Amino acid sequence: MIRKRGNRWQVDVVINGERIRKGGFSSQVEAETYEKAILKGLPTNSSVTFKAFIDEHFDYLWGDTKAPQATEINCRTLLKYIKAEEPIPKITNQVIADLVQKMKADRLSNSTINRKLSTLSKLLVHAVDCELIPKRPKIPFQKEGKGRERVLERHEEERCVEYLFHIGQQNSAALFNFLLYTGCRLGEAYKVHRNNVSGGYVKFMDTKNGSNRLVPLIGPAKEGWDIVAKHTEFEYPFKVIPRDTFRDHWNRMRHHMGAGDDPDFVPHMLRHTCCTRMVRKNVNLPKVMKWMGHKSIQTTMRYTNLVANDLDTAGEALLDF
């Protein structure tokens, strides 16, 4: 029998006339897996499977985070490489090493691999807290570069948008333009409510840095917003394009562009491109910082390294003084 006692769960079973009572389980799933295991004479921890553990503890671990959808994607990716029925205690150093090798073979970038490993690490630390395993296995985080430096040139932008329209994905083309001409993150676009767009501006709420920012809604960004807003009655219009659907369209476009092997050809490069273009046009760095929502001016200054003639323009300013 399983019953809840306070915030914990307790198991009462009788085996061969002997009553066994064990409490302290943090979830009903843990209590049920313990009961099933002990009735079958199995090791009690081995019945807690990877997927069951994710399903039961996801809200506890990530329910209050700003972007639980991103973690859901990470979990789905992990389940492609670790069997859903794999018992938690059998996720060893070797299993994780094999996981990394498989992701590399599938051409996932080191930064992407690290995001998946970070999610796995948090799950396994919680498994330790639940006394399912004695300690967390080693997590081989991969060395990352200094950041994505992929910038979309104007002719590439035109080809991308033309292709998305060619395959009939007008909404994805609209989202592409919105990301590029506002510089917002993909997750921020999905959180834009209809009420956040007015007077020629879009307000991005609850951003990565914990603040809100107001950005002019211009040109292709406005056109993209108008297209999507008319195609749906959703309060958050971009949700008419599920993330997985947009990523599928993106991957098709990436291969069309001959960038199938380029790990930096990802939606985030549109934000990178937006910032780089402003810096190339000598927009005042504090203004660029405000537009992009950078927490530190040092982040904005990284983009000046990509502008080859930045000192030339400074010299011209001296001569024109």
Side-chain angles (χ1 to χ4, degrees):
M1 181 178 67
I2 297 173
R3 59 184 175 180
K4 193 171 185 180
R5 297 181 65 86
N7 293 325
R8 297 284 175 169
W9 295 81
Q10 178 177 292
V11 176
D12 282 317
V13 294
V14 177
I15 300 177
N16 297 326
E18 179 182 359
R19 184 177 184 180
I20 299 175
R21 174 184 292 171
K22 183 174 175 60
F25 295 101
S26 60
S27 70
Q28 185 175 355
V29 167
E30 290 176 25
E32 289 174 347
T33 52
Y34 175 87
E35 181 186 48
K36 290 177 183 177
I38 200 168
L39 289 174
K40 293 180 180 179
L42 299 173
T44 55
N45 285 342
S46 66
S47 297
V48 182
T49 63
F50 186 49
K51 186 177 187 305
F53 191 71
I54 291 175
D55 292 343
E56 180 67 24
H57 296 274
F58 187 92
D59 286 343
Y60 173 78
L61 293 172
W62 291 287
D64 295 332
T65 60
K66 294 178 181 177
Q69 299 89 348
T71 305
E72 287 177 1
I73 292 172
N74 290 341
C75 289
R76 287 201 297 269
T77 301
L78 289 170
L79 285 165
K80 292 180 181 179
Y81 299 97
I82 298 177
K83 294 179 180 179
E85 64 274 15
E86 188 77 77
I88 289 291
K90 290 190 177 182
I91 301 178
T92 61
N93 292 344
Q94 187 59 53
V95 169
I96 298 174
D98 291 343
L99 161 73
V100 172
Q101 291 304 312
K102 290 175 183 176
M103 288 194 287
K104 284 181 174 291
D106 288 340
R107 297 186 179 278
L108 274 64
S109 68
N110 283 359
S111 59
T112 299
I113 292 173
N114 283 343
R115 288 196 294 274
K116 315 309 176 189
L117 290 177
S118 179
T119 297
L120 179 60
S121 177
K122 190 165 184 176
L123 282 166
L124 294 177
V125 167
H126 188 55
V128 174
D129 294 339
C130 294
E131 299 183 354
L132 297 177
I133 53 176
K135 66 177 182 179
R136 189 206 69 178
K138 181 180 179 182
I139 305 294
F141 288 105
Q142 304 297 292
K143 184 177 180 180
E144 296 185 35
K146 295 181 179 179
R148 296 188 176 113
E149 296 185 352
R150 183 69 163 85
V151 175
L152 200 65
E153 300 301 333
R154 189 74 66 178
H155 67 91
E156 293 178 308
E157 170 195 342
E158 293 172 356
R159 285 183 60 199
C160 287
V161 174
E162 286 176 1
Y163 177 76
L164 290 172
F165 272 101
H166 174 72
I167 62 174
Q169 302 304 333
Q170 186 180 22
N171 287 338
S172 286
L175 178 54
F176 178 102
N177 280 329
F178 187 84
L179 294 171
L180 177 55
Y181 285 91
T182 64
C184 74
R185 301 173 180 87
L186 182 60
E188 292 172 347
Y190 279 98
K191 291 192 290 185
V192 176
H193 191 280
R194 289 180 181 273
N195 295 339
N196 296 143
V197 176
S198 63
Y201 288 85
V202 54
K203 180 182 287 187
F204 295 107
M205 308 289 290
D206 193 24
T207 65
K208 181 179 179 181
N209 292 329
S211 60
N212 303 332
R213 70 178 186 277
L214 199 64
V215 172
L217 192 60
I218 60 169
K222 183 180 185 306
E223 294 170 8
W225 170 262
D226 290 343
I227 287 172
V228 174
K230 290 177 182 178
H231 282 184
T232 178
E233 296 182 355
F234 291 169
E235 293 184 346
Y236 299 86
F238 283 116
K239 289 190 175 182
V240 73
I241 321 161
R243 284 194 184 212
D244 287 346
T245 300
F246 179 68
R247 290 184 185 278
D248 176 63
H249 297 163
W250 182 279
N251 287 333
R252 291 168 63 184
M253 178 190 71
R254 181 173 67 177
H255 285 283
H256 170 76
M257 296 291 293
D261 293 332
D262 185 352
D264 293 334
F265 199 98
V266 295
H268 192 75
M269 77 176 185
L270 299 178
R271 174 174 168 82
H272 188 83
T273 299
C274 176
C275 187
T276 301
R277 287 182 179 180
M278 285 191 285
V279 173
R280 282 178 175 175
K281 289 295 185 178
N282 303 313
V283 177
N284 181 276
L285 288 185
K287 289 183 180 179
V288 178
M289 175 185 173
K290 184 177 180 180
W291 182 299
M292 302 304 296
H294 291 154
K295 195 171 184 178
S296 167
I297 192 68
Q298 300 300 321
T299 302
T300 313
M301 289 181 66
R302 288 194 297 110
Y303 291 86
T304 63
N305 295 329
L306 304 179
V307 182
N309 67 339
D310 57 341
L311 294 183
D312 292 340
T313 57
E316 291 170 3
L318 286 173
L319 293 174
D320 291 340
F321 189 77

